Amino acid sequence: MNKHDQDFLKQQNRLTVFQIIKKEQPVSRASIAKRTGMSATTISRIISEFIEERLVQETEEQTSTGRGRKSTLVRLRDHAILSIGVELDQSQVLVGIVDVLGHIVCRCCFSRTTEDDADATMTSISVHINELIEQHGIDRTRIVGIGVGLPGIIDIDSGTVQFSVQLGWKNVNLTTRLEELTGFKTVVDNELKLKALAEQRNGSAYGSERTVLLGFGNGVGSALILQGEIYRGATNSAGEIGHTTMDPDGMICDCGKAGCLQTYITIPSLLAEASKAHPVRNIEELFKARAEGKRWACYLIDRALAYMAITINNVATTYNPDSIILSGEFLDKFPEVYEEIIDLCYTRYIWEPIRDSFTIVTSELHEDGVLIGSGLAAQDRFFILH
Ligand SMILES: [Zn+2]
């Protein structure tokens, strides 16, 4: 075996051991050896390296090896690998530090106005990142990078927001400036894709092989995670179902077409429609009017729920997933509609041959999903175990 092959094998072995510790911790050296088929000497050497690199630590816990001997367990060191997650929205920005297991170590939140341009927003983000690091005594050298999630179409290779209706941005590059400001490598992606990644790694679709996340709220969209990877399509626009045509004679959408799905279910569309009958300031008022039996409010919400069930059927028939995760402001604010949607799905809209082939679940991570997903995406891209 030449030197190059030896180095490659060594690196693979390290990665295998690291993944097992991450997944099964706390775990004994003997158990890792058994799982991998590597020799006890190899495992001990790799773990000594990890301990020296401050990635892994020995725990107080011990396990019996069965011959009356005790063996020490190892686990990942807290805060050994960290990343920064950022969720960028129209009026609010969340910044948090995420560990290798996808737990939020600390976080903060600040508001932005529509007048804040991209540069002002990035400056605020970098100020808040520095504050978090200082306040919580975080070791900067353990931070592998930043992940930013936002609504819009993103070119992830260049880190450019090609288009975001919510932020009002067009062709704005985020990575170059954020890297300049913070010194950390940065990756930018669509928020729903990151949320789906987080739910698949740490939330309601844990371990799922093919899951679709649907987001119903101020916008509507979907994201598909196939065998642990985000499915992007040719231009990272896969899942933009808000602009699928439901009725060619329908209402005009902000994209200029008629009858897009989003004209039936997003909160702004519902409020705009409702206001033709009665002035409604927010979605809570619309739900209140529905509870009071106001015909226009019942009609609009019932129709929105029906379109949500139709969307579930459409993505289920398109992708044949094993699970569908429902998320977004609609369900976060009014969890009681979940049962109504499920009922509509199974009594009316799901195509019979696939009705038992997938589960419909709600988001577990709720408003933390994008933050966690952004942090994990940064680790996926920038953490390299040499
Ligand atoms: Zn549209």
Side-chain angles (χ1 to χ4, degrees), residues 62-341:
Q62 292 192 323
T63 180
S64 167
T65 57
R67 288 190 300 263
R69 281 169 53 196
K70 298 275 184 191
S71 90
T72 308
L73 302 180
V74 293
R75 50 169 292 137
L76 294 184
R77 222 184 152 82
D78 283 344
H79 304 181
I81 301 157
L82 299 171
S83 57
I84 292 158
V86 178
E87 179 179 10
L88 181 50
D89 246 322
Q90 201 169 22
S91 57
Q92 181 178 268
V93 183
L94 279 175
V95 180
I97 295 180
V98 177
D99 73 12
V100 72
L101 301 174
H103 299 146
I104 298 172
V105 175
C106 53
R107 73 168 95 204
C108 65
C109 170
F110 65 95
S111 45
R112 69 180 285 275
T113 66
T114 39
E115 281 101 68
D116 291 343
D117 63 7
D119 208 66
T121 305
M122 284 188 276
T123 305
S124 303
I125 290 173
S126 78
V127 168
H128 284 85
I129 287 174
N130 283 329
E131 274 177 19
L132 267 188
I133 290 174
E134 276 172 31
Q135 279 168 9
H136 296 270
I138 303 289
D139 179 356
R140 288 184 80 94
T141 64
R142 291 287 159 186
I143 298 175
V144 298
I146 304 174
V148 183
L150 56 94
I153 306 290
I154 322 286
D155 174 359
I156 58 156
D157 293 325
S158 65
T160 304
V161 181
Q162 292 176 321
F163 191 67
S164 170
V165 177
Q166 288 90 333
L167 297 171
W169 292 357
K170 225 174 178 178
N171 290 321
V172 175
N173 182 285
L174 291 188
T175 49
T176 313
R177 186 76 183 120
L178 263 180
E179 286 175 1
E180 262 171 29
L181 286 165
T182 63
F184 295 119
K185 288 181 185 160
T186 303
V187 60
V188 185
D189 206 342
N190 170 274
E191 56 169 12
L192 270 194
K193 290 187 167 68
L194 296 170
K195 197 176 199 175
L197 184 73
E199 291 286 352
Q200 195 268 340
R201 297 265 179 92
N202 276 34
S204 56
Y206 176 74
S208 158
E209 285 290 305
R210 33 189 75 75
T211 190
V212 180
L213 176 123
L214 295 173
F216 299 126
N218 285 315
V220 49
S222 70
L224 174 66
I225 305 288
L226 274 180
Q227 283 154 345
E229 300 281 332
I230 298 169
Y231 178 73
R232 302 185 175 282
T235 58
N236 205 23
S237 307
E240 292 290 338
I241 53 170
H243 300 287
T244 49
T245 306
M246 304 307 282
D247 176 3
D249 300 320
M251 291 168 286
I252 295 292
C253 175
D254 60 27
C255 73
K257 299 195 299 127
C260 289
L261 173 63
Q262 70 171 34
T263 63
Y264 297 93
I265 43 183
T266 64
I267 293 170
S269 309
L270 291 172
L271 298 183
E273 273 286 283
S275 296
K276 292 177 186 168
H278 193 274
V280 179
R281 281 170 302 182
N282 51 46
I283 188 72
E284 285 80 4
E285 284 186 10
L286 183 60
F287 266 83
K288 190 163 167 273
R290 184 199 198 208
E292 288 161 359
K294 299 282 191 318
R295 187 184 289 183
W296 47 274
C298 296
Y299 171 76
L300 284 174
I301 291 176
D302 290 352
R303 188 181 70 178
L305 300 182
Y307 274 101
M308 289 177 196
I310 289 168
T311 304
I312 291 169
N313 176 60
N314 289 353
V315 299
T317 49
T318 306
Y319 299 122
N320 191 197
D322 54 36
S323 58
I324 292 181
I325 312 160
L326 307 184
S327 75
E329 214 178 327
F330 224 101
L331 281 138
D332 284 343
K333 281 190 171 161
F334 308 100
E336 66 275 15
V337 301
Y338 173 75
E339 293 299 330
E340 289 186 62
I341 298 169

